[in-house]
Amino acid sequence: MVSSFCWGCLTRLRPTGQALLPPPIAAPRAASFHTSTVRYSNVLKKKNTIAGPPKYREAKSARMKKKKPTDRPRPPPVGERKAQRKRLVLSNPNALEVEDIQELSAETMVDSRLRGSVLALPLPMLTQLRAAEAFKPKQGWSIFRRPGTVVRRETLELARLFDKISGEGEDKGKSVKKIITGVRGSGKTVHLLQAMAMAFTKKWIVLTVPEPQDLVTASTGYAPLSDETPHLYVQNAATAALLSRTVSANEEVLKSLHVSQEHPALKSATKPGMTLEQLARLGIQDPAIGWNVFQALWSELTATSAAPGFEKNFKPRPPMLVTADGLAHWMKNSEYRNAEFEPIHAHDLVFVRHFLSLMKPGSEKPTFPNGGLLLYATSASNNPTVYSFEVALEQVEARHAGVKPSAPEFPQADPYSRADQRVLDAFNSPKPTVPKEGMLELQTLGGLTRGEARGYLEYFARSGLLQANINDEWVGEKWSLAGGGVIGELEKLGRRMRVSS
């Protein structure tokens, strides 16, 4: 029997939708941006293993592989790293030798015609400057054939000051005190070196404190000065180092001077006819009496006449030069502690107290009765921020300019800043009442002039370090790039090799 449905009816039937079809096998979904084959990965099932009894003499704990022993290098000996850090190189044999260069002498250091030129330091003087630790390792001494220094306006003023104090005029035996400040790289440390070189030329006595920071960082031993003054502390090792520098740098002058005063604290150690060089070596050999020896040496160097019974070998004492580089480290608490574990102020160290007392004018006689120069410099690269010290320097400048402390324009510390009054009192030096005693001054070093900068850069060219056509336009460009002739920045520009086109 034929079906009632025809082919045409069958073709008009609608196809079955996806929803009527049986669901496919469920597959894990993955993000459309994922690149891993999640659909084809086999999921690892955790095996259910039953731990059996351990085998005979078999440990169940985790086994750790032993590391192979490594050969560690042997550490350097004690003091070698510090010696390497402070190593000085004052000559470069690869640099060209500058022809017709003049040396620093009593005549050339006051010659204004040499302004802007470089004067070589005499070779015999290098030993004295090394002993006084006038050179710094990071200075550019190792790029020239021999060490030299540029003559600038401040150098000529300093040389004339040495001539006046050592001369026969009205300024003979005058005491001058200055604090040198300036931006980083302005030549403050080299200015102190120039002063030492001039002092050695004039046969002065030079006492230096090259690193004031070492006295307050608790890196040297200390002890109470005496039972009567337990709040003051002495540093025997640092005092012995000061005496060693003084003897090494001024040995020739100290050997020509003899003891002329009585010293009760060293009565058993001193002998009649002893030279000052032998007196200073007592404190080097026995640091326990170093501070007493230094006090005796200071009284001998500032003596104007001999005590009764010591007139035989007495000679007039030469002027003195006292320098310290990095004064701000003495204007705060040190790293030392007292018996109650409280910080000790730097002014309670007798070494620091003595050198700070030199800034004040003398009461009955000048600080340097035989004449002298006091030069303390600040540091811009290693300088702690001490608000009291900044205010004290402003007061020194205002006081030297003639501004009275009672005037409204006189700088005062902020009452809410908790300024250290001890620091302000250390620089509170009134007008001296003793003749030939100068006031404490503040001298700020700036950059070189264009003429001085040209002479300085020409020295680089003559040494073979600079290959350029040095003219006024080129010097003006480098002078501007150096922040207005800052000598430290000029040195960086001059030591780069330039090929002239």
Side-chain angles (χ1 to χ4, degrees), residues 54 57 68 71 106 141 255 281 309 348 364 372 381 404 435 445:
R57 289 185 178 180
K68 296 181 179 180
D71 296 335
W141 306 107
K255 283 184 177 180
R281 290 193 181 277
D348 291 333
E364 299 179 357
S381 57
K404 296 182 178 180
L445 291 183

Side-chain angles (χ1 to χ4, degrees), residues 53-360:
K55 295 182 180 180
Y56 180 69
R57 289 185 178 180
E58 181 182 2
K60 292 187 63 177
S61 61
R63 295 181 180 180
M64 301 181 65
K65 296 182 180 180
K66 295 183 179 180
K67 295 183 179 180
K68 296 181 179 180
T70 57
D71 296 335
R72 295 184 178 180
R74 181 176 297 179
V78 178
E80 183 175 346
R81 291 177 179 174
K82 184 177 181 180
Q84 183 69 17
R85 187 172 65 250
K86 292 190 173 184
R87 187 173 65 97
L88 288 173
V89 180
L90 301 181
S91 177
N92 182 11
N94 296 323
L96 297 179
E97 186 173 358
V98 180
E99 299 179 357
D100 302 332
I101 184 173
Q102 300 188 41
E103 291 187 351
L104 181 70
S105 62
E107 295 77 18
T108 57
M109 68 182 190
V110 294
D111 193 352
S112 59
R113 296 172 297 179
L114 298 176
R115 180 178 176 180
S117 60
V118 175
L119 296 180
L121 298 175
L123 296 179
M125 190 186 295
L126 297 183
T127 305
Q128 295 176 288
L129 294 174
R130 273 181 176 270
E133 298 185 16
F135 301 104
K136 300 297 180 181
K138 294 185 179 180
Q139 294 172 340
W141 306 107
S142 60
I143 62 178
F144 300 106
R145 188 79 174 191
R146 58 182 300 187
T149 177
V150 64
V151 180
R152 54 195 297 183
R153 177 177 58 84
E154 293 82 1
T155 307
L156 293 174
E157 294 177 355
L158 184 64
R160 296 190 184 101
L161 189 59
F162 272 93
D163 262 5
K164 292 179 180 178
I165 298 175
S166 302
E168 299 296 335
E170 58 181 5
D171 291 334
K172 180 181 179 180
K174 186 178 180 181
S175 299
V176 180
K177 306 174 185 179
K178 292 185 178 182
I179 298 178
I180 311 299
T181 62
V183 298
R184 181 177 180 178
S186 57
K188 299 181 292 296
T189 303
V190 177
H191 190 70
L192 297 184
L193 182 143
Q194 292 175 343
M196 296 179 204
M198 296 175 186
F200 289 136
T201 303
K202 295 289 187 179
K203 304 298 181 182
W204 285 26
I205 298 293
V206 178
L207 280 81
T208 62
V209 185
E211 295 293 342
Q213 182 180 4
D214 295 343
L215 299 173
V216 295
T217 55
S219 58
T220 181
Y222 71 109
L225 180 60
S226 62
D227 296 336
E228 291 78 13
T229 56
H231 63 283
L232 298 180
Y233 300 87
V234 62
Q235 298 163 293
N236 293 325
T239 308
L242 171 64
L243 293 173
S244 178
R245 290 194 303 268
T246 305
V247 171
S248 301
N250 310 276
E251 186 174 5
E252 182 182 355
V253 181
L254 293 178
K255 283 184 177 180
S256 61
L257 303 176
H258 295 78
V259 174
S260 63
Q261 307 293 323
E262 294 183 358
H263 307 291
L266 302 173
K267 188 174 182 180
S268 60
T270 57
K271 299 178 182 179
M274 175 183 289
T275 63
L276 298 188
E277 185 262 346
Q278 295 173 343
L279 174 64
R281 290 193 181 277
L282 294 177
I284 302 174
Q285 298 170 0
D286 187 5
I289 61 172
W291 181 248
N292 294 331
V293 172
F294 176 74
Q295 288 182 311
L297 180 63
W298 183 265
S299 63
E300 291 287 346
L301 295 176
T302 55
T304 55
S305 60
F310 294 89
E311 297 89 351
K312 181 179 179 181
N313 298 322
F314 179 77
K315 291 182 180 179
R317 307 312 193 195
M320 298 174 59
L321 170 67
V322 180
T323 66
D325 192 4
L327 193 59
H329 293 284
W330 288 350
M331 302 302 154
K332 59 177 185 175
N333 288 332
S334 68
E335 299 296 332
Y336 293 100
R337 299 281 178 167
N338 57 13
E340 290 76 19
F341 203 71
E342 296 175 351
I344 300 175
H345 200 280
H347 295 187
D348 291 333
L349 304 173
V350 292
F351 190 111
V352 177
R353 173 176 290 220
H354 171 79
F355 282 91
L356 291 180
S357 65
L358 302 179
M359 295 189 298
K360 292 185 174 295

